Amino acid sequence: MTSFDAVGNIVIFSEEFKGIKEEAKRLLKELKNIETVAVKTKQHSGIYRTKKVKIIAGKKSKETIHKENNVKVKLNIETCYFSPRLSNERLRIAKQIKKDEIILCMFSGVGIYPLVFAKNSKAKEIYGVEINPNCHKYALENLKLNKIKNIKLYNSDVKKVLPKIRKKFDRIVMPLPKNAEDFLDVAVKKIKNNGIIHFYDFERGIDIPKKTIEKIRDKIKKFKILRIIKCGSYGPDKFRVCADLIVYLN
């Protein structure tokens, strides 16, 4: 059987298969917190990395509230990119944050990364930048939903808005594995000396992540990789990885 994700009260199958409607009815009956079953009809694509879904059973709604790591986020599963599989990864970074850090999250989506950091650390300020207006709308709503005061959100292209923010950051998170290296030069301009960047990438063979290291070396002169960890797979021997690195500016 094909895999599925649970986002709030919605189950999303990764693809259609024989007997999917019967399986959908079974899930609705057995999982009391599930109200809608959908199937992905088009993979993530476009500048916003959104997907197309078709509801096959239950409530005809693509909007839900998802809970993780002491946070609640409202979103539309079709107009917003969101992965519940990165819950542990978001908490992993939150646990590294030191008191009074100023943090930037590029590609912040519906606000899940900034919110998890705010709820699970003693960060001083957290900035989030998201280009998708639908995600930004939900992110603003999610700040109120979680009663968070130390997050500032921008609906813009990272490259356009960051030069206008007169801040240097202790930590920059880049949770966009596809072409994130195109934004590394912008990140270096906004990181403090000895600051930490969490750089995400797609990689084959996690034991020797040569491609990821080469991308970093091409953009940053002096750095030290603390660790490169696997945080999800997207095919046989294909992984989403995160490189945690210290940047030296002097």
Side-chain angles (χ1 to χ4, degrees), residues 59-163:
K59 187 179 175 183
K60 301 293 183 181
S61 175
K62 296 176 183 178
E63 189 175 79
T64 188
I65 293 179
H66 184 81
K67 298 177 182 179
E68 72 159 74
N69 297 319
N70 305 314
V71 166
K72 293 184 288 186
V73 285
K74 189 176 181 181
L75 69 140
N76 182 303
I77 60 171
E78 192 169 64
T79 63
C80 303
Y81 176 85
F82 179 83
S83 174
R85 300 184 185 193
L86 293 171
S87 172
N88 290 337
E89 172 62 10
R90 289 187 272 267
L91 188 60
R92 181 186 75 86
I93 295 177
K95 289 180 177 179
Q96 296 181 44
I97 296 170
K98 298 179 176 63
K99 184 180 178 182
D100 291 332
E101 279 192 8
I102 300 175
I103 299 166
L104 168 66
C105 180
M106 298 180 175
F107 332 117
S108 52
V110 296
I112 185 63
Y113 280 84
L115 287 165
V116 169
F117 299 161
K119 282 282 192 175
N120 297 278
S121 79
K122 294 183 179 180
K124 183 177 181 180
E125 292 178 302
I126 304 167
Y127 290 70
V129 181
E130 172 55 46
I131 196 169
N132 183 342
N134 292 304
C135 282
H136 182 69
K137 174 179 74 79
Y138 281 110
L140 293 174
E141 195 170 340
N142 290 331
L143 289 191
K144 296 177 182 177
L145 187 63
N146 291 275
K147 300 178 181 179
I148 298 293
K149 303 292 186 182
N150 65 335
I151 294 176
K152 297 182 181 180
L153 299 172
Y154 297 84
N155 179 207
S156 182
D157 185 310
V158 166
K159 292 184 177 181
K160 291 180 180 178
V161 74
L162 283 185

Side-chain angles (χ1 to χ4, degrees), residues 209-222:
K210 292 181 179 178
K211 183 167 66 74
T212 298
I213 295 172
E214 287 172 2
K215 289 178 181 179
I216 296 168
R217 188 176 289 125
D218 187 52
K219 298 286 186 176
I220 304 177
K221 292 180 179 179
K222 294 174 66 178

